[in-house]
Amino acid sequence: FFLMIRRPPRSTLDRSSAASDVYKRQVSTQSTWDFIMEKIGSKFKLAIMTSKGHPMLKKILASKLDTYFDYDIVESLDQVKAMPTATEYNAIFVLTVASAIPFPMVPVILQELIVRSPKLTWVHSMSAGVDYMLCEALIKSKTITFTNARGAYDRSLCEYVLLSILYFTKKMHILQKNKAEHKYQMLLVDNAWDNTKVGIIGYGSIGRNTAKLLKQSINAKIYAIKATPTTKPEDKDLIDFLGQEKDIPYVLSEVDYVINILPYTPRTKHVFTLSVFKQMKPTAIYINIGRGATVVETDLIEALNTKVIAGASLDVFEKEPLPSTSPLFDMDNVLISPHTMGYTMHGWDYCLSAFEAELKNYVEKTPFTNTVNLEKGYQSSSITVSYTHLTLPTSDLVQISVVAVSLKK
């Protein structure tokens, strides 16, 4: 007999962040690197700031990029400071993944690298959010282009949103509590299909893909808030209501789930306050996969304690790592993820492909795909970093890896 296996349809999730034709591959192909090296005509040299067991480093080596790249592993700021005062770096490759070095170290390292790299013209981030890596040298530069891996983490974050909705719809927090207490007690749950209104505050790449997944899976009604009224043709079938900042109160009062996907900028700092939470339904759930600094965390805790809102699902926090003394840990109606929902092995594959796509743009001198507009979205005049007297806590949650690229003539 014959066993027939039908392949499921390809997901329609957007991979526009860095050349969709490149995103179709999970790892970089040898032919692409052959093409790049043919264009450049010389080898790259990499300074990789990471632990030697970093998964992305293994990805790079597994794709045999070391055939083209000479690399040094840099594991401390002292190593960067020991570099020549005028390096030959043309580009810097910044990789963020969960492990050892705290986020505040990123701008410090970038500052040192940029100052020491007079030929630098390109900085590429392996994350979508870039607020934590801004430094004075990068912000003030008139010659450096800043790109990111926009879209590489969309799939995993979209799934986390769906998980959060089903978690509260099926009252998993109560079921888990009953299990811990060895209590077998029936309870009335709800269904999410055709019965869920979702407000997406910050409708960009992640927001659009979240809307797609929620439409496909539970046929949710989507209310979207976007900084500008511009949309893509596909949004017509995804969004039931599209508004701007002035429409946030209306959206908050209508939806069952409020999804915060705002980037961190001076304009979005502490947008979610107690007064904002009071505009939500008392049965509503707050989900944050954007940035922790966009919410006043003490106000969120008060809103949960006083039942202003019914619960929260949080992947990001105002202070990370979240202090062990935080009341959030003791709340049964709060789902906590330690800023890890975007990090997957497949996501790293997409990140590597994004870098590959932008590197092709770089060597061909064509426009980059995902250029970060510092002045519009991320530049902050309030950024102050001391490069000589900086005391940082140690952390097991965050690792920053910096890859600096140079050309050998």
Side-chain angles (χ1 to χ4, degrees), residues 5-52:
I5 301 176
R6 183 178 180 183
R7 182 178 180 177
R10 287 184 179 272
S11 169
T12 58
L13 291 182
D14 186 11
R15 293 182 185 174
S16 61
S17 352
S20 59
D21 60 321
V22 176
Y23 264 138
K24 292 177 182 176
R25 300 185 316 263
Q26 290 187 341
V27 295
S28 302
T29 61
Q30 205 71 22
S31 59
T32 301
W33 293 107
D34 288 336
F35 167 80
I36 290 172
M37 299 318 300
E38 181 182 347
K39 283 279 186 180
I40 295 176
S42 61
K43 286 191 175 184
F44 283 99
K45 182 180 179 181
L46 296 176
I48 308 175
M49 184 187 161
T50 183
S51 59
K52 293 179 180 178

Side-chain angles (χ1 to χ4, degrees), residues 20-215:
S20 59
D21 60 321
V22 176
Y23 264 138
K24 292 177 182 176
R25 300 185 316 263
Q26 290 187 341
V27 295
S28 302
T29 61
Q30 205 71 22
S31 59
T32 301
W33 293 107
D34 288 336
F35 167 80
I36 290 172
M37 299 318 300
E38 181 182 347
K39 283 279 186 180
I40 295 176
S42 61
K43 286 191 175 184
F44 283 99
K45 182 180 179 181
L46 296 176
I48 308 175
M49 184 187 161
T50 183
S51 59
K52 293 179 180 178
H54 191 307
M56 180 55 80
L57 179 60
K58 294 179 181 179
K59 289 281 184 184
I60 292 174
L61 299 182
S63 57
K64 299 184 178 179
L65 301 190
D66 56 330
T67 303
Y68 305 108
F69 289 69
D70 291 332
Y71 66 92
D72 298 315
I73 298 176
V74 179
E75 296 184 285
S76 72
L77 181 61
D78 289 339
Q79 288 177 267
V80 179
K81 289 183 176 181
M83 293 178 181
T85 54
T87 70
E88 296 296 313
Y89 298 135
N90 301 103
I92 296 174
F93 182 22
V94 183
L95 167 64
T96 44
V97 172
S99 190
I101 303 175
F103 279 147
M105 282 301 297
V106 184
V108 180
I109 296 169
L110 265 181
Q111 178 77 11
E112 287 292 329
L113 284 171
I114 292 172
V115 167
R116 292 166 184 268
S117 306
K119 295 182 180 180
L120 185 69
T121 58
W122 174 35
V123 173
H124 178 74
S125 165
M126 287 290 276
S127 65
V130 297
D131 52 278
Y132 64 91
M133 66 181 68
L134 296 181
C135 61
E136 183 181 10
L138 178 61
I139 292 172
K140 291 185 176 180
S141 174
K142 303 297 183 182
T143 59
I144 298 173
T145 301
F146 190 21
T147 60
N148 66 355
R150 180 177 179 268
Y153 306 99
D154 289 11
R155 288 189 165 199
S156 184
L157 290 171
C158 296
E159 290 170 357
Y160 179 70
V161 171
L162 178 59
L163 164 70
S164 300
I165 291 174
L166 295 178
Y167 180 88
F168 285 101
T169 301
K170 300 305 179 186
K171 300 184 179 178
M172 293 301 298
H173 55 302
I174 299 177
L175 293 176
Q176 289 293 94
K177 185 174 183 293
N178 288 347
K179 179 185 175 185
E181 296 174 356
H182 291 216
K183 185 187 299 183
Y184 186 85
Q185 179 178 322
M186 295 185 67
L187 68 157
L188 186 66
V189 298
D190 210 339
N191 63 286
W193 180 267
D194 272 342
N195 194 38
T196 304
K197 294 180 180 179
V198 175
I200 300 177
I201 314 299
Y203 189 78
S205 174
I206 297 172
R208 179 172 291 106
N209 282 322
T210 298
K212 287 180 182 179
L213 182 59
L214 296 182
K215 278 290 185 184

